[in-house]
Amino acid sequence: SQQGEEDPQALSIQEGENATMNCSYKTSINNLQWYRQNSGRGLVHLILIRSNEREKHSGRLRVTLDTSKKSSSLLITASRAADTASYFCALGGSNYKLTFGKGTLLTVNP
Amino acid sequence: DVKVTQSSRYLVKRTGEKVFLECVQDMDHENMFWYRQDPGLGLRLIYFSYDVKMKEKGDIPEGYSVSREKKERFSLILESASTNQTSMYLCASSLGAGRNTIYFGEGSWLTVV
């Protein structure tokens, strides 16, 4: 099954800066989701964007989806030290499965 | 809030032991999943279940089996644990097909010695 590929693998920024992570994939999708994982914990859902949507916002998060380029980006604005975590994109199809990428490790330095 | 509870947070088992990882969700979700997570490999789907007593193999089912006798409970079974099954195991559930949000448990760290 296809897997999303996040880029970069790791990102280190200063508090207050914006963080952008990208996800690319190869086949068609029904939706794309972003999840966050604090070290050693389970994943937490952040946002879902459907294939017919181009942009969604949730608080300090902005997600874009370009189905022609088969890519998505997650922007976290005004980052905080508490945003330090791994971020995963997940590809949703018409079946039951959700396929996860390998993640981007974001470090926000105070 | 949806709650997915994994019974054991940390386990240490010996090679060859039979291991049970239990997971319970409280939101009447149809779908339940077991993933394992390893450094550099991300999350890989082991098995999923879309209904009671129904199951489908994921991407890495070898060495594992599952049981779903009740809607809220999904168990992962390692018939004969091996050291290469040392990993973080994540249980999850969702309401419907892949177009829905998945809710994860906190994970079970299994070490096989």
Side-chain angles (χ1 to χ4, degrees), chain A residues 31 35 37 40-41 95 98, chain B residues 9 35 37 98-99 102 106:
Chain A
N31 66 80
Y35 287 77
Q37 183 181 35
R41 309 297 294 270
N95 62 16
L98 197 63
Chain B
R9 189 86 170 97
Y35 290 87
Q37 184 177 23
R99 48 183 76 95
I102 286 187
E106 284 295 292

Side-chain angles (χ1 to χ4, degrees), chain A residues 1 3 30-31 33 35 37 39-45 48 50 88 91-103, chain B residues 9 31 33 35 37 40-43 45 48 50 56-59 88 90 96-102 104-107 109:
Chain A
S1 54
Q3 187 178 39
N30 179 282
N31 66 80
Q33 304 181 33
Y35 287 77
Q37 183 181 35
S39 181
R41 309 297 294 270
L43 280 74
V44 175
H45 178 257
L48 181 154
R50 302 191 190 285
F88 294 85
L91 310 177
S94 56
N95 62 16
Y96 303 96
K97 294 194 219 179
L98 197 63
T99 307
F100 288 81
K102 296 179 182 178
Chain B
R9 189 86 170 97
N31 301 324
F33 309 82
Y35 290 87
Q37 184 177 23
L41 297 177
L43 275 78
L45 181 64
F48 68 100
Y50 49 91
E56 275 198 33
K57 294 179 180 178
D59 300 316
M88 162 90 137
L90 290 159
R99 48 183 76 95
N100 295 96
T101 300
I102 286 187
F104 282 85
E106 284 295 292
W109 290 91

Side-chain angles (χ1 to χ4, degrees), chain B residues 35-111:
Chain B
Y35 290 87
R36 67 176 279 178
Q37 184 177 23
D38 301 285
L41 297 177
L43 275 78
R44 293 179 291 167
L45 181 64
I46 304 171
Y47 267 98
F48 68 100
S49 168
Y50 49 91
D51 201 351
V52 176
K53 296 191 190 295
M54 305 302 286
K55 60 186 179 186
E56 275 198 33
K57 294 179 180 178
D59 300 316
I60 52 162
E62 296 77 20
Y64 303 95
S65 62
V66 290
S67 171
R68 192 158 180 211
E69 296 296 318
K70 294 184 178 180
K71 192 174 186 179
E72 67 271 18
R73 188 178 297 270
F74 192 36
S75 303
L76 180 69
I77 304 155
L78 287 68
E79 295 290 342
S80 177
S82 63
T83 54
N84 63 12
Q85 292 178 310
T86 291
S87 187
M88 162 90 137
Y89 290 88
L90 290 159
C91 176
S93 72
S94 73
L95 183 58
R99 48 183 76 95
N100 295 96
T101 300
I102 286 187
Y103 297 87
F104 282 85
E106 284 295 292
S108 297
W109 290 91
L110 172 66
T111 301

